[in-house]
Amino acid sequence: MSGSGTTSDYQCFQSYLEPLCGIRFGDDKAYLIKSRLQGIMRECGAVSLRQLVEHLKSGRPAGLRVRVVDAMTTNETSWFRDEHPYKALSEVVFKDFSKLGKKARIWSAACSSGQEPYSISMLVEEFRRTQLGGASLDAELIATDISATILAEARKAEYSETQLRRGLSKEFRQRFFVSHGRGEKICSAVRNRIRFRDLNLLHPYGVVGKVDVIFCRNILIYFSRERKCDILERMHRVLNRGGYLFLGSTEVMPEGVSNYRSERLGRAQVYRPL
Ligand SMILES: C[S@@+](CC[C@H](N)C(=O)[O-])C[C@H]1O[C@@H](n2cnc3c(N)ncnc32)[C@H](O)[C@@H]1O
């Protein structure tokens, strides 16, 4: 890409994308964006990003916006990603809920292809099986993402050998997966406590209801500070008192959000609502 005309086409696309889904790309990412959108642009006959934006604004062809958002999102994920949050969840949070005899409502706020909520649900099963803390545990999950395509994958709960190798222990694989085609599918006990829903984090959280735990991991990094603050303020409203917010391992509470306190749970960093 070269020339000032093309640069402003790129800026035009950025100005359309950011308010739509919060994702920002630096000025050095023009080439990456164009390569991700090449196929879509060819199909709808757009010769520039500016023309693509015109199509997007006109709503034609149908489904274009969904495809563009899908192409712009990064769905990188794995089972029990970073380990510590999951350890904290089963060793501290689940233990407390089980002692109180209270149902835990958990929100996986950018769940991608499902590894995050299914990892949590496997831990619930494991907790119940081993009865850590001497009492049982009741939990339900809501898992949301902006991408309808990735949510369809998550709902299917079928994973390839390559996906299964990323972070899953042999023991959990044997216990919670059944053979399915060329890959494996998660057992119904783990699937059944999760509801998957479409949700753009820029929009209201009514569909979520009140929750005790939020996993909002590896998504805020893509957003501006203003968006992060707005999202975290609104998450505060759905998080029950005494609840827990887990961010990604490279993410921190931005300056300007003052209604959480930071706490260590083992080796995990969590945020608790004030
Ligand atoms: C990098 S993945 C993180 C998955 C998982 N939380 C983890 O840590 O492994 C980011 C996810 O955020 C989703 N996403 C991007 N923008 C979003 C938005 N505005 N609202 C909700 N989800 C969004 C993407 O579709 C993608 O599945």
Side-chain angles (χ1 to χ4, degrees), residues 4 12 14 16 19 29 32 39 54 64 74 88 102 107 140 161 171-172 177 179 203 217-218 225 229 244 246 249 274:
S4 59
C12 166
Q14 282 180 308
Y16 177 81
K29 294 287 188 292
L32 171 80
E54 279 161 20
L64 182 63
T74 303
K102 193 175 164 250
W107 177 22
E140 67 178 33
E161 188 57 39
E171 195 193 341
F172 272 29
F177 288 76
S179 185
H203 295 170
R217 308 199 65 234
N218 304 299
R225 200 184 73 81
C229 293
Y244 302 84
F246 290 84
S249 61
L274 291 172

Side-chain angles (χ1 to χ4, degrees), residues 5 35 49 51 72 113 177 265 268:
S35 74
L49 286 173
Q51 271 192 18
M72 290 299 100
S113 39
F177 288 76
L265 287 191

Side-chain angles (χ1 to χ4, degrees), residues 21 74-77 81 110 112 116 145 199-201 217-218:
C21 62
T74 303
N75 304 121
E76 167 68 18
T77 190
R81 189 168 183 179
S112 187
E116 182 175 281
D145 201 281
L199 179 68
N200 182 343
L201 288 175
R217 308 199 65 234
N218 304 299

Side-chain angles (χ1 to χ4, degrees), residues 20-23 69-70 72-79 81-82 86 108-113 115-117 144-147 150 199-203 215-219 221-223 231 248:
L20 183 67
C21 62
I23 298 174
V69 170
D70 276 356
M72 290 299 100
T73 50
T74 303
N75 304 121
E76 167 68 18
T77 190
S78 55
W79 309 98
R81 189 168 183 179
D82 304 323
Y86 295 92
S108 166
C111 67
S112 187
S113 39
Q115 283 84 337
E116 182 175 281
T144 61
D145 201 281
I146 195 175
S147 163
I150 207 75
L199 179 68
N200 182 343
L201 288 175
L202 271 41
H203 295 170
F215 266 51
C216 179
R217 308 199 65 234
N218 304 299
I219 173 64
I221 33 165
Y222 299 103
F223 298 160
I231 287 169

